Amino acid sequence: MVFNFISDYLKHRFTAKSRHGTHSPFVYKLTDEVIYDFKSKIEYKSIEVQRKKLFNDDSLVTVTDLGAGSHLNKNRTKKVSQIAKNALKNPALAQLIYRLAKDNNPKSIIELGTCLGITTAYLSKARPDAEVITIEGCPETAKVAYNNFKELDLENVELQVGNFDVLLPEIIDKRDKLDFVYIDGNHRKEATLNYFNWCLPKVHENSLLIFDDIYWSKGMKEAWGEIKNHPDVIVTIDLFWIGLVYFRKGQAKEHFKIRF
């Protein structure tokens, strides 16, 4: 599995383009102003301080894993520091998700897979006036995330704990539309396609769905392929680590691989 992942990464690096290789004005602008905006921002600092605290936290939690699990560590009891080092999105990727949320300007954000809450914090800081709902399947991990939210003074985050298959449809059903959905949980083909299909009735022209770990496994690659080919999907951007899905009507259907 690790060999296939490395092979997929190398193929992506050779075939992906920079902003100069895109002929879509929308994708060029997004790449130039959002994806490749590597300038430091004041909002990043407090979150990265919190990340460092987690790296040094040797308290133990019992992990309840309802998804595809970790390639790195299958033990149920783990140190918080282990989870932080192995499962958290690295700063570059978490900060990209911050910029995507800020650029998209959503009124509501849904995150599937809270983990320790670092990416949630980036989403909250990106849109402090938006409603941020994050779902975590593991109660003990969720407690750590909740404490992080308190320490970071995040007032717009609602943390729900439970099975994604139960909670996500309920959350979607209560909303007229979905603006921004980040899916980072249960890395299985069937589950990922379910999440996508549940979201579809509520997406609109400016909606953004982000799928994490699209090269995680053969099943995830197949799921990403099916999502790209869905008739409602107009633009996708494959950044290897994440896939962006847009529903922009009046635009030619195109798929992009961007080097990140």
Side-chain angles (χ1 to χ4, degrees):
M1 185 174 287
V2 173
F3 173 80
N4 289 337
F5 185 79
I6 294 171
S7 176
D8 286 333
Y9 176 74
L10 293 174
K11 288 177 186 175
H12 189 276
R13 292 294 295 179
F14 283 121
T15 57
K17 302 180 183 300
S18 69
R19 60 184 175 272
H20 300 297
T22 65
H23 301 292
S24 162
F26 166 70
V27 176
Y28 181 93
K29 186 173 186 292
L30 184 75
T31 306
D32 187 48
E33 298 180 4
V34 179
I35 295 174
Y36 288 171
D37 176 13
F38 298 119
K39 297 186 296 292
S40 179
K41 302 185 189 329
I42 193 168
E43 293 89 346
Y44 297 171
K45 293 180 181 178
S46 60
I47 301 174
E48 289 308 312
V49 168
Q50 199 67 23
R51 184 196 298 269
K52 288 178 182 177
K53 290 182 184 178
L54 294 171
F55 281 171
N56 294 313
D57 185 347
D58 288 333
S59 58
L60 296 174
V61 296
T62 300
V63 176
T64 304
D65 189 357
L66 302 177
S70 168
H71 289 335
L72 299 173
N73 191 333
K74 296 292 185 180
N75 296 328
R76 283 177 52 83
T77 301
K78 300 180 182 179
K79 292 180 180 180
V80 170
S81 57
Q82 286 178 292
I83 299 172
K85 290 168 185 173
N86 293 336
L88 290 181
K89 292 289 164 282
N90 66 46
L93 191 55
Q95 288 161 14
L96 170 60
I97 291 167
Y98 164 95
R99 297 193 298 275
L100 289 165
K102 196 169 186 67
D103 177 72
N104 186 257
N105 199 31
K107 292 183 178 178
S108 67
I109 294 171
I110 298 172
E111 178 189 38
L112 200 62
T114 314
C115 193
L116 302 178
I118 291 298
T119 304
T120 320
Y122 273 108
L123 290 168
S124 172
K125 294 281 189 180
R127 295 292 301 147
D129 57 342
E131 171 193 41
V132 179
I133 300 175
T134 184
I135 310 171
E136 175 54 41
C138 173
E140 292 198 18
T141 305
K143 287 180 184 177
V144 179
Y146 181 73
N147 288 333
N148 288 328
F149 300 156
K150 288 199 297 183
E151 290 191 29
L152 290 166
D153 295 322
L154 305 181
E155 298 181 353
N156 62 330
V157 176
E158 177 187 335
L159 172 59
Q160 296 193 20
V161 182
N163 192 310
F164 298 163
D165 292 351
V166 175
L167 293 178
L168 183 60
E170 292 176 354
I171 291 168
I172 292 172
D173 188 55
K174 291 176 182 176
R175 274 147 192 82
D176 294 329
K177 62 179 184 176
L178 299 177
D179 297 328
F180 187 104
V181 182
Y182 173 45
I183 296 173
D184 181 20
N186 195 346
H187 297 75
R188 294 189 176 102
K189 177 181 178 180
E190 183 180 4
T192 300
L193 290 174
N194 283 341
Y195 305 149
F196 171 70
N197 287 316
W198 293 341
C199 289
L200 274 181
K202 299 292 181 77
V203 301
H204 54 89
E205 187 166 353
N206 295 317
S207 296
L208 171 57
L209 306 186
I210 302 178
F211 291 88
D212 199 86
D213 287 326
I214 55 176
Y215 288 90
W216 175 273
S217 63
K218 181 175 181 288
M220 284 299 293
K221 288 186 283 186
E222 290 172 352
W224 176 242
E226 290 191 29
I227 290 167
K228 287 167 58 179
N229 290 328
H230 193 280
D232 289 350
V233 171
I234 305 301
V235 174
T236 67
I237 301 176
D238 175 349
L239 296 164
F240 186 79
W241 310 105
I242 58 175
L244 313 182
V245 178
Y246 292 92
F247 304 86
R248 298 169 56 85
K249 295 178 181 177
Q251 188 167 327
K253 187 179 182 79
E254 291 184 276
H255 305 299
F256 298 87
K257 284 186 179 183
I258 301 294
R259 194 175 298 117
F260 178 74

